[in-house]
Amino acid sequence: MPADKKGAPSDVLALDVESDGIYAVRMKRGREGPIMDAAARLPALNGADDTGTITAPEGKGGGKLTLPKAFRARSVAVTIPATHGVLRLVTFREPIERASVWEKRVRENLGVNSSFQVGFVTGSSSGKGRDMALAVALPREEITSTLAHLGGGGRQIVSLEVSGLAAMNSFLYGPGRQLDKPAAVVVSSGQVTILGIVSNARIHLMRKFALGRDAIVRRIAEDMHLEQDTATQLFTDPTFDISGILDQVIGPFASQLTISREFVERHEDCRLERLYVGGSMSQSTYWLKCLRDKVGLEPVGWDPFEGLSVKGSIDKGEKDRDAPLYSAAVGAALGALEVL
Amino acid sequence: MNFRVNLLQQEDVARESQRRPVAAVIGVVLVVGVIGLIGSKLVRGIATRAQYRSAQARWEKLEPRFNAAQDMRDRVLLCNAIQAEMEGWKQARVDLHPILEGLYTCVPATVQLTRMNLRSSYAVERLPPRKAAEKKAPPQKVMRKYEISLEGVAVGDRSDQVVVDFVEQLKISALDSDLFPSVKLQRLQQEDATEEESEELPTSSFSIKIISIPRVL
């Protein structure tokens, strides 16, 4: 499909590479807003390790992605969990005059060498108007491997993002549009959980935690001597009490969540009023209960498909049930279409 | 401020977009090449098929004539063989009447032929093989040879000289010298007269052998 006047594609396929598969969303730019054309979960690629990270070199056990016809778009936006990456909201004490210095300063703050690729968006802090950047660093090897596996076949990869941040973009397109009071957004995937505290399109805090559904499921399987599949079912089934196990795994994150909340409230002189939850862990009653207990607010989910015109064939059952799992793919597609 | 942190650098995007055209060009060239190859084969196949059909149609028209020509050629070959055989026989054969006429004209009045015998015999001559295949069964030449024996008596004085002259005449004019190069007087004997016959003329008995050249069949 041809790109629009600004150079952004008008037809994009977003692929969220997760440990349990690839969440694919095809989206087109319509006159009255983005149009959902197709959404499905595709099998995980050969060559991806148990974190979903593609590590096998192309051609040595690393499979090339073959897409169903409905998902064959020219432009592709990719999101990966960034298990081995660094995510940080960096605030600079001194203003940065020249644009060319940004990357150097960001790299210094993230503490990464040249084997990492750095990406960032800039802004200014709400209080003192300092320069700040939402920055991500990922190993170049991981990026190269991902591009090699997902590119080609007539596809052009136009963006590579961290899935948690992409999911937050879908939040921005949904409930985040009318957000006038500070809110915490917790997005979790198989390996990583990202906590963001935002208000009025400003980012107060952004942190990445090495906690995800996979670690909890693994712990349930070990403690209860269950198969992995059964443990995965238990994780989302409210009829079983797994709070004892969850408390042990979630404990460190819960402490950091409390600290982060207090830091933002004190620093920004505000009060957190909303808690939004997205990603794979939002399907667990115990996860929601844990967050409610720690933050003291009722967790609210969001439907990433809401507000989008749906023209293609999308399984309604899956759409309703697994909608939170498509947050990252939808966010990446919206970002690539530049409708945010 | 949104959360879109694109980790793809401009070089990555450029590399991605460069890789695609190169791959696309290679792909297009390959596809065009394959299509061209298949097309040329197809065109050649179609042309060959049309040629085959036209040749088949022509053959259907020509076949009866061809078969007739084949039959004619076989017949001609057979006739030629028969003709060659006949000519061989004709070549080998010697007409008797010119010989008899020659004898009639040149026999002197004082000579009386008492016996004439014409005999023919065959001889086979093996030829050297010209090809390796002919070594087992080398070619051969069959020839026919004629032999005429004449016996008679000459009466009168100088009858012996008459016989000699007669032989000369045979050689010179009576017989075809090419056909009968060998004319030999084999016997000449003067008969002694008995007392009762003392008044009669002296006689000489003789025998002549005439041999023809071998005539190839």
Side-chain angles (χ1 to χ4, degrees), chain B residues 187-207:
Chain B
R187 182 176 61 84
L188 179 63
Q189 190 176 358
Q190 282 194 329
E191 301 290 335
D192 292 331
T194 58
E195 286 181 5
E196 294 158 3
E197 297 170 340
S198 58
E199 289 181 0
E200 291 185 12
L201 293 171
T203 60
S204 296
S205 64
F206 63 89
S207 69

Side-chain angles (χ1 to χ4, degrees), chain B residues 30 38 41 47 63 83 87 95 106 124 134-135 140 183 188 195 213 216:
Chain B
L30 278 176
I38 292 170
K41 294 275 181 196
E63 193 178 13
Q83 189 186 4
E87 281 181 354
D95 288 334
C106 74
V124 177
E134 291 177 348
K135 280 186 179 175
Q140 54 191 20
V183 179
L188 179 63
E195 286 181 5
I213 57 164
V216 180

Side-chain angles (χ1 to χ4, degrees), chain A residues 47-184:
Chain A
D49 63 14
D50 58 1
T51 68
T53 307
I54 300 167
T55 52
E58 190 184 358
K60 292 181 179 177
K64 268 275 186 187
L65 181 66
T66 310
L67 291 166
K69 197 177 176 183
F71 291 92
R72 287 179 193 160
R74 189 177 151 188
S75 302
V76 180
V78 179
T79 70
I80 53 176
T83 317
H84 310 292
V86 182
L87 166 68
R88 198 170 290 163
L89 184 67
V90 183
T91 307
F92 301 99
R93 290 179 185 278
E94 293 171 4
I96 298 173
E97 304 289 344
R98 287 179 297 158
S100 57
V101 185
W102 270 100
E103 183 176 339
K104 188 186 171 195
R105 299 290 301 277
V106 168
R107 201 175 273 280
E108 283 170 1
N109 271 275
L110 293 179
V112 292
N113 57 26
S114 59
S115 67
F116 279 75
Q117 192 149 308
V118 171
F120 54 90
V121 284
T122 58
S124 56
S125 65
S126 55
K128 298 170 184 174
R130 285 177 176 170
D131 286 332
M132 57 183 287
L134 175 61
V136 176
L138 272 184
R140 285 184 194 278
E141 198 180 337
E142 189 177 331
I143 292 172
T144 311
S145 182
T146 304
L147 293 180
H149 283 77
L150 299 179
R155 299 185 291 269
Q156 185 181 6
I157 297 177
V158 294
S159 69
L160 178 69
E161 298 174 60
V162 172
S163 53
L165 292 181
M168 288 209 180
N169 272 332
S170 83
F171 165 77
L172 276 189
Y173 192 76
R177 274 179 170 175
Q178 289 93 30
L179 199 66
D180 53 351
K181 290 174 182 172

